[in-house]
Amino acid sequence: MAHGVIRCARLGCVVVVALACGSGVALAQSGVDMPPRTPWGDPDLQGKWPSGTAWLVPFERPEELGTRAALTEEERAAREAAHAEATDRYSTKGIGAPSHWLEIARPPLQTSLVVEPENGRLPPLTDDGARRAKAWRTTSAPSYPYTSVKDLRPYDRCITRGLLGSAFPNFYSSVTAIFQTPGFVIIHHEMIHETRIIPLDGRPHIPSGIRQWMGDSRGWWDGDTLVVETTNFNGRTGSLGRNGDGNPTTEALRLVERIRLLGSETLDYEVRIVDSETFTQPWTVRFPLPRDDDYVLYEYACHAGNYALGNMLRGARAVERAPGSASTAKAF
């Protein structure tokens, strides 16, 4: 993973200015009015687009910032300095990912990844959404007495982070790679080995009785913007933060992504989250992705060495066998 240092050096040269614009963030264009075209005439979005530049942007806006969508340059510098200090502090204690994994680079001026509602914060949960979120937090606690692998989250089991967890910014294995052929767009998420083949020919979604981890995606062009609607989720992944954890979604989840070029070197990514069984209103995340054609993708082989599952189950059984434990469960 030593390539991460090289990525950071390259990405650190990218500066994307975010300006307040209504309920979202308008990202400054870099001077190219007409996006490049594929040989068959579609806007050419192909490339490797890592999200490390957006890692330092808070998912939700700090409440004291209200509806302010952009930082000052001084505030951005303070954010970077605070992160560097925390990284140094944790690294001296051996906590956190190795530095050569990190793909963090200079962030945009956005005050939050959430751009709608206008305050940059998640809308309230429904009663059922709050119940499921509490249960999710309970079962994800390190002290939870797991009884089988089914108690663990799909990310812990190396199954998936779900579409949102794959697309949201990360500090390593952070790239979204896009490929195009006539009638199809292929979006590959390095986190954690997900590839979506998206038809553009107007075909309907698969039958509603078929449910999938990454849903069923259909796309079309709105001018130079690729619009992708995804439905048919299985309701077993989360929606909050950077890794598919947090508030769980339901089968009612519907996502609408809007992807367009801002010049030739920056991709504008936006996703609108609609899940009326979990949230009281839709919400939107938006952030820029700089091009990095030198980025090297590696297999995210989480499953190949996932010893954590067995160890967590063995640990839970050991606790239950300890003196004073009320459980008589057998060892895993």
Side-chain angles (χ1 to χ4, degrees), residues 220 229-231 233 251-256 272-275:
W220 63 90
E229 179 190 63
T230 306
T231 60
F233 289 98
E251 292 186 0
L253 178 65
R254 173 177 170 268
L255 302 180
V256 179
R272 181 174 173 81
I273 296 92
V274 182
D275 185 353

Side-chain angles (χ1 to χ4, degrees), residues 192-214:
I192 48 177
H193 55 61
E194 304 287 6
T195 301
R196 294 188 283 155
I197 300 175
I198 304 166
L200 308 176
D201 58 5
R203 69 183 69 181
H205 285 285
I206 58 177
S208 60
I210 301 174
R211 297 288 162 172
Q212 305 184 130
W213 289 103
M214 296 290 285

Side-chain angles (χ1 to χ4, degrees), residues 193-332:
H193 55 61
E194 304 287 6
T195 301
R196 294 188 283 155
I197 300 175
I198 304 166
L200 308 176
D201 58 5
R203 69 183 69 181
H205 285 285
I206 58 177
S208 60
I210 301 174
R211 297 288 162 172
Q212 305 184 130
W213 289 103
M214 296 290 285
D216 180 60
S217 295
R218 297 289 184 265
W220 63 90
W221 293 102
D222 179 9
D224 293 332
T225 298
L226 174 66
V227 183
V228 181
E229 179 190 63
T230 306
T231 60
N232 294 71
F233 289 98
N234 65 11
R236 297 170 64 186
T237 59
S239 62
L240 178 63
R242 324 300 179 114
N243 57 6
D245 284 341
N247 301 330
T249 57
T250 69
E251 292 186 0
L253 178 65
R254 173 177 170 268
L255 302 180
V256 179
E257 298 166 284
R258 299 183 65 87
I259 306 169
R260 67 188 180 107
L261 283 168
L262 297 175
S264 62
E265 299 301 309
T266 303
L267 200 69
D268 183 28
Y269 177 82
E270 176 184 297
V271 57
R272 181 174 173 81
I273 296 92
V274 182
D275 185 353
S276 60
E277 295 182 17
T278 303
F279 297 96
T280 56
Q281 69 180 79
W283 50 284
T284 302
V285 164
R286 188 179 183 190
F287 52 89
L289 295 167
R291 182 189 297 277
D292 186 359
D293 292 332
D294 294 332
Y295 190 108
V296 180
L297 285 94
Y298 290 87
E299 179 189 7
Y300 195 96
C302 171
H303 57 281
N306 192 10
Y307 304 109
L309 291 182
N311 290 339
M312 284 188 282
L313 292 169
R314 292 185 184 95
R317 303 296 79 77
V319 169
E320 291 167 352
R321 293 195 303 272
S325 173
S327 174
T328 57
K330 294 181 179 179
F332 171 70

Side-chain angles (χ1 to χ4, degrees), residues 150-165:
K150 294 181 179 180
D151 288 341
L152 288 118
R153 299 163 296 177
Y155 173 52
D156 290 328
R157 297 167 62 187
C158 296
I159 296 174
T160 185
R161 287 190 172 192
L163 197 160
L164 292 173

